[in-house]
Amino acid sequence: MQEPERETTQQVASKQGARIVDARVIVTCPGRNFVTLKITTSDGVYGVGDGTLNGRELAVSAYLQEHVVPCLIGRDADRIEDTWQYLYRGAYWRRGPVTMAAIAAVDTALWDIKAKGANMPLYQLLGGRGRDGVTVYCHANGHDLGELCESVAQHVELGYKAVRVQCAVPGVADAYGVSHGDGPYEPADGSVPREEVWSTAKYLRFAPKMMETVRLRFGFDLALLHDGHHRMTPIEAASLGKSLEEFRLFWLEDATPAENQQAFRLIRQHTTTPLAVGEVFNSIFDCQQLISEQLIDYIRATVVHAGGITHMRRIASFADLYGVKTGSHGPTDVSPICMGAALHFDLSVPNFGIQEHMPHCAETDEVFPHAYRFKDGLMHPGESAGHGVDIDEKLAARFPYKRMYLPVARLEDGSMHNW
Ligand code: KDG
Ligand code: MG
């Protein structure tokens, strides 16, 4: 039998797409710090990707500049999967938030380029719409229950159908998720980390009352979420989940840290309150056990922190096998580029659950012009070719990097606790 003819190197080369001719890292602080990678091809098309890692921004910027950009120049911009594998397997050092945010920046920029080349919004390349729009949840918070209810009412008025509720806890100086002044809640607020004092016991006594108050005022049609922000031990989380069952939460988030994925077994044995975790995860391996043992209901990984669209699709497909839905992190510390990319992902994946939406400030929105919009509780990524988010570099240059940290938390006896 005659062997099939092998393609010559020239024939393979003729099938190659445009080359990457430039890749630049842009760090800007229009209200908060963002790291953006801009990749340009030999066809003159460019794409942008978010690489922001809150409080560690310059680590990703240096990783990209020193270790990734030199390897990108000359590569075929079309080979997204190959570039992902090259940066992940090829680098020897795998995973970790810095590496995965850097890979995400490249991946997102390349998907942007590919979709622009196809003259399609990114979601079309990902398989098209799986739904009419992306259901998002917003943040309501207050210094007391009256203020919290006012905040929920304002968000319902804006059209949101799902609301995360956080409230100051009586006797606790600083509760997670509550603003420090009159403005919106913004976690990264110090040039060195501010120290907060926390009591889980007081919080556990108060949380059911908070949920009861909101349910009594707004009824059961509004989806309510709550973030425990890693403050509880597994047994404390189990007890909270149990005490909140009658209020039918959409989810209880980050009930306990998940480095030890088995910890969620204990919570699961005690409560039917749906569980969400994963905003700090950066790899499918961080949630392998949580998903395969069905210990959670929603996986919170997001495009910028979990290796880009390419890796997020892998996580979502794996989660779908076990009935786990997506619920991507979407605070102000992911840039509008991540938000835009996430909305294309959300629109297309079959097991989409919900998307977090914390609107950016006006300066951020100006630096990152975007096609996405909010209407009647849903977000829409828009129909621009690519992911629909750009960066205004001239404007970005007017907002230089400023060191900013999240606070840290101590227990009342002075012990370091999880923030
Ligand atoms: O960088 C930390 C914030 O992204 C985080 O505190 C926000 O928990 C958060 C959330 O659910 O949005
Ligand atoms: Mg959270």
Side-chain angles (χ1 to χ4, degrees):
M1 206 171 99
Q2 219 183 346
E3 273 201 27
E5 267 181 40
R6 293 185 60 185
E7 287 178 306
T8 64
T9 316
Q10 286 84 349
Q11 281 168 324
V12 171
S14 72
K15 288 182 189 158
Q16 286 170 348
R19 305 267 131 198
I20 295 174
V21 292
D22 189 41
R24 266 177 325 110
V25 184
I26 303 154
V27 180
T28 178
C29 186
R32 57 181 312 151
N33 294 310
F34 297 111
V35 178
T36 303
L37 181 70
K38 180 168 182 174
I39 295 179
T40 307
T41 72
S42 49
D43 286 348
V45 178
Y46 69 85
V48 289
D50 182 22
T52 307
L53 187 59
N54 191 8
R56 299 291 183 271
E57 298 87 357
L58 297 188
V60 183
S61 163
Y63 188 105
L64 280 168
Q65 239 148 232
E66 297 300 319
H67 307 298
V68 173
V69 165
C71 314
L72 292 178
I73 307 303
R75 291 186 68 82
D76 183 345
D78 270 348
R79 295 179 64 172
I80 299 179
E81 182 68 44
D82 183 61
T83 300
W84 197 96
Q85 300 295 339
Y86 177 85
L87 294 173
Y88 183 83
R89 290 170 195 263
Y92 187 55
W93 303 108
R94 300 181 180 197
R95 304 162 64 181
V98 175
T99 295
M100 297 305 276
I103 294 179
V106 176
D107 188 78
T108 307
L110 292 182
W111 277 106
D112 192 24
I113 289 170
K114 195 180 271 294
K116 282 177 177 169
N119 198 23
M120 284 178 182
L122 175 57
Y123 73 82
Q124 293 289 12
L125 283 189
L126 302 179
R129 277 174 194 279
R131 51 200 52 78
D132 298 334
V134 175
T135 303
V136 291
Y137 73 89
C138 60
H139 290 190
N141 62 70
H143 297 102
D144 56 37
L145 291 172
E147 229 182 78
L148 171 62
C149 285
E150 273 327 292
S151 173
V152 175
Q154 282 162 13
H155 285 95
V156 169
E157 189 64 24
L158 289 171
Y160 287 98
K161 309 278 189 287
V163 182
R164 184 186 91 163
V165 296
Q166 308 291 140
C167 188
V169 177
V172 175
D174 306 282
Y176 164 75
V178 182
S179 70
H180 292 283
D182 294 336
Y185 170 65
E186 182 53 77
D189 59 4
S191 59
V192 292
R194 198 167 40 75
E195 301 232 341
E196 299 187 336
V197 179
W198 173 251
S199 160
T200 309
K202 288 175 185 159
Y203 162 74
L204 290 177
R205 286 201 297 277
F206 176 70
K209 189 171 167 44
M210 169 177 77
M211 283 303 168
E212 183 184 28
T213 306
V214 178
R215 277 291 181 225
L216 280 174
R217 164 117 184 237
F218 296 93
F220 278 81
D221 283 342
L222 184 64
L224 294 183
L225 301 85
H226 178 64
D227 190 348
H229 222 256
H230 305 118
R231 303 279 168 104
M232 290 164 274
T233 63
I235 196 68
E236 287 167 345
S239 119
L240 178 66
K242 224 165 143 171
S243 68
L244 297 181
E245 267 168 27
E246 61 179 307
F247 307 117
R248 305 264 162 185
L249 263 60
F250 185 94
W251 78 34
L252 170 61
E253 172 184 339
D254 288 349
T256 201
E259 286 100 324
N260 173 14
Q261 297 182 41
Q262 287 180 31
F264 275 73
R265 283 189 189 149
L266 192 138
I267 310 174
R268 208 49 156 179
Q269 279 156 14
H270 290 280
T271 181
T272 56
T273 293
L275 301 172
V277 73
E279 65 181 48
V280 298
F281 292 177
N282 49 72
S283 148
I284 198 164
F285 298 105
D286 294 334
C287 47
Q288 186 176 15
Q289 186 177 8
L290 287 168
I291 289 173
S292 62
E293 288 190 26
Q294 295 171 278
L295 302 179
I296 56 170
D297 302 282
Y298 297 91
I299 178 68
R300 301 250 310 130
T302 194
V303 172
V304 56
H305 298 136
I309 294 279
T310 297
H311 199 59
M312 282 293 287
R313 292 178 89 200
R314 200 152 287 139
I315 293 174
S317 297
F318 177 58
D320 196 25
L321 297 180
Y322 297 94
V324 174
K325 294 187 175 191
T326 66
S328 286
H329 194 206
T332 44
D333 48 80
V334 306
S335 95
I337 296 173
C338 174
M339 190 66 195
L343 292 172
H344 288 270
F345 166 82
D346 295 335
L347 202 61
S348 62
V349 288
N351 53 328
F352 168 74
I354 202 163
Q355 166 71 49
E356 182 177 13
H357 177 223
M358 196 177 169
H360 289 102
C361 68
E363 287 86 352
T364 299
D365 280 341
E366 271 177 62
V367 168
F368 295 96
H370 48 264
Y372 62 75
R373 65 194 193 285
F374 171 83
K375 192 166 183 274
D376 298 334
L378 302 179
M379 285 191 75
H380 305 271
E383 295 298 317
S384 308
H387 56 47
V389 189
D390 205 344
I391 182 165
D392 178 336
E393 290 191 67
K394 270 203 188 128
L395 194 56
R398 303 231 302 258
F399 300 100
Y401 169 78
K402 258 197 252 162
R403 194 172 61 229
M404 275 204 265
Y405 284 101
L406 297 170
V408 296
R410 291 188 187 277
L411 298 178
E412 287 171 313
D413 71 354
S415 314
M416 254 338 273
H417 195 52
N418 315 318
W419 191 81

